[in-house]
Amino acid sequence: MPSNKSVSDAPIVQFTNCRILRDHRLQREDLWVREGKILNPEKLFFDEKGSADVQLDCKDSIIAPGFIDVQINGGFGVDFSLATDDFKSGIDLVSQKILSHGVTSFCPTLVTSPPSVYHQILPQISVRNGGAHGAGILGAHLEGPFISKEKKGAHPEHCLRTFEAGAFQDLLATYGSLNGVQIVTLAPEMRRSSEVIQELTKRGICVSLGHSVANLSQAEEAVQHGATFITHLFNAMLPFHHRDPGIVGLLTSDKIPAGRRVFYGMISDGIHTNPAALRIAHRAHPKGLVLVTDAIAGMGLAPGRHTLGQQVVEIDGLNTYIAGTKTLSGSVATMDTCVRHFQEATGCSAETALEAASLHPAQLLGIEHKKGTLNYDSDADFLMLNDSLYVQATYIAGEEVWRQDVSGM
């Protein structure tokens, strides 16, 4: 037999004494990494006759895929919906800081804004791999402005828009470009939304339903046209009603096309959703739950006044409100906190909690062949965690990019 020995001389790193999250369970195995990818040790031994160049003792840590945050509005004083001269350095700062939360990839999220803001900001958001400089950028999440006035939440009413005669052309004119856009949140009850959903889906853009007063049949129709996500379930939508459960009813709908899964985001911060509601959603549709932070510029900062796009928001403890009101506006939660709260609130396994922040968002975006798992040949973006799911170290492409210092700071 001809040898399959790789021509690569890149070092092979073997992570030992660990439990790896693979195939939905923690398995006591070693993790092998080369050139930023996860290796199949059998191929390495039998085909290449290779062995590890470096062995790292993980001291019985859990190794899990890196977290993926598909809805984050900013953090550390940076607001992704504000067009500033140093926007790029702001996005770099956030991508660097969230490494300590276990986030290895994210979708910078823009809330409802005037067209001029999209035209200025979107060309500055480029899809890029993560590394020592920070978490990778998967593309922008545009939350609005094609949303319901009744359920606008913290979105400024004067910037809301509807689809006019041009429908998809209206959307293009508003955003300026769809380059680097990964997710669009819209209200499916809006006139002509079906053709917009089809056009976005055709371009590989994930359509999410949110900030909406849609009834269940309108939501089901949107899914039949290609929508696959629900933006922060329960928040900014009609409350569940037994005769018409609205968007929430998608979790158990029998009108979802065969082979399609509807995913739903949840802000598991103990504030946006009562633990009982979190449990109801999880028990109804466990494989669709995607943890999101919906974090705003004030995440990581002291309480006080901060911005969310065009609005001033006030942080009071873990609550964030539009200044002078009791309207919730995003969160200041970190992804690792959301994972721990989710596990505590639902009593689910560590595996389930970790997959809600890694595998499920990767499946939502159709990138599970390279992110969100520790399968062979996938990207070596992973975390070391202790049994209480506190992040000890973050790796991107097999390189350590953050580690908790020994003093626990």
Side-chain angles (χ1 to χ4, degrees):
M1 290 287 287
S3 164
N4 286 342
K5 181 163 175 59
S6 166
V7 291
S8 171
D9 291 326
I12 295 165
V13 183
Q14 177 188 9
F15 294 82
T16 66
N17 189 16
C18 51
R19 289 157 293 152
I20 300 177
L21 177 54
R22 187 178 279 152
D23 297 329
H24 317 298
R25 60 193 181 91
L26 289 172
Q27 311 189 29
R28 192 162 281 286
E29 283 178 29
D30 292 352
L31 186 75
W32 298 74
V33 173
R34 177 175 58 199
E35 288 188 317
K37 300 284 183 191
I38 292 167
L39 279 184
N40 179 342
E42 284 195 11
K43 278 189 178 173
L44 177 67
F45 303 148
F46 297 117
D47 296 352
E48 299 186 27
K49 309 288 187 278
S51 58
D53 298 290
V54 182
Q55 280 191 324
L56 287 177
D57 182 349
C58 301
K59 302 184 169 61
D60 205 35
S61 296
I62 290 170
I63 292 190
F67 298 149
I68 299 169
D69 194 351
V70 299
Q71 187 176 7
I72 170 172
N73 310 290
F76 313 99
V78 176
D79 184 341
F80 297 148
S81 303
L82 277 189
T84 56
D85 292 340
D86 57 352
F87 182 85
K88 282 193 170 168
S89 59
I91 211 165
D92 288 349
L93 174 75
V94 175
S95 64
Q96 171 73 71
K97 292 273 199 179
I98 58 179
L99 294 174
S100 66
H101 309 156
V103 177
T104 53
S105 303
F106 70 109
C107 293
T109 304
L110 279 72
V111 295
T112 295
S113 304
S116 59
V117 169
Y118 297 113
H119 296 188
Q120 280 174 273
I121 290 177
L122 285 178
Q124 300 186 70
I125 297 178
S126 37
V127 175
R128 68 179 187 209
N129 292 328
H133 58 274
I137 297 175
L138 299 170
H141 177 170
L142 306 181
E143 187 188 357
F146 300 98
I147 58 172
S148 155
K149 190 166 69 172
E150 293 84 352
K151 291 294 177 185
K152 65 184 187 297
H155 292 237
E157 189 170 326
H158 70 279
C159 295
L160 299 182
R161 298 173 83 85
T162 55
F163 297 120
E164 300 306 328
F168 188 67
Q169 292 309 315
D170 297 334
L171 177 138
L172 273 181
T174 300
Y175 296 146
S177 164
L178 289 171
N179 290 342
V181 173
Q182 184 71 257
I183 304 173
V184 171
T185 292
L186 52 77
E189 71 276 14
M190 293 179 78
R191 207 168 53 88
R192 310 201 62 174
S193 65
S194 290
E195 59 192 270
V196 172
I197 293 170
Q198 285 173 305
E199 286 293 338
L200 288 168
T201 306
K202 212 186 286 179
R203 287 162 171 76
I205 292 171
C206 164
V207 175
S208 189
L209 311 179
H211 289 278
S212 162
V213 292
N215 59 33
L216 178 55
S217 64
Q218 288 168 324
E220 287 169 336
E221 188 184 342
V223 170
Q224 285 152 11
H225 284 112
T228 52
F229 194 39
I230 303 169
T231 295
H232 44 53
L233 186 77
F234 297 124
N235 294 111
M237 59 187 60
L238 291 177
F240 176 89
H241 188 281
H242 56 286
R243 277 193 290 277
D244 191 337
I247 289 177
V248 177
L250 287 176
L251 271 61
T252 55
S253 167
D254 56 1
K255 304 275 194 312
I256 308 299
R260 176 91 54 79
R261 185 186 306 178
V262 173
F263 292 88
Y264 58 96
M266 293 209 76
I267 310 165
S268 167
D269 60 354
I271 289 164
H272 278 76
T273 316
N274 184 285
L278 195 53
R279 287 192 286 275
I280 286 170
H282 178 244
R283 288 175 193 174
H285 184 27
K287 289 184 174 169
L289 194 148
V290 172
L291 293 177
V292 298
T293 60
D294 199 19
I296 62 169
M299 186 223 346
L301 302 181
R305 291 199 158 206
H306 302 282
T307 64
L308 177 59
Q310 312 294 303
Q311 311 267 45
V312 175
V313 298
E314 212 146 0
I315 297 178
D316 175 14
L318 289 176
N319 294 287
T320 64
Y321 303 111
I322 292 180
T325 75
K326 286 295 173 192
T327 300
L328 280 175
S329 55
S331 84
V332 287
T334 60
M335 184 57 91
D336 55 323
T337 309
C338 291
V339 169
R340 291 190 295 272
H341 176 72
F342 171 55
Q343 186 187 25
E344 188 186 334
T346 61
C348 71
S349 65
E351 291 95 328
T352 297
L354 292 165
E355 287 189 342
S358 55
L359 175 63
H360 295 175
Q363 290 171 327
L364 164 72
L365 299 178
I367 56 172
E368 70 271 27
H369 58 290
K370 56 181 179 175
K371 306 272 185 202
T373 76
L374 298 178
N375 294 344
Y376 304 140
D377 297 323
S378 59
D379 293 350
D381 297 356
F382 58 87
L383 313 174
M384 285 186 196
L385 307 104
N386 64 17
D387 285 358
S388 303
L389 303 188
Y390 282 86
V391 181
Q392 299 168 319
T394 303
Y395 285 75
I396 292 182
E399 300 289 331
E400 182 181 297
V401 292
W402 180 83
R403 177 170 289 275
Q404 175 130 35
D405 70 26
V406 200
S407 63
M409 293 299 285

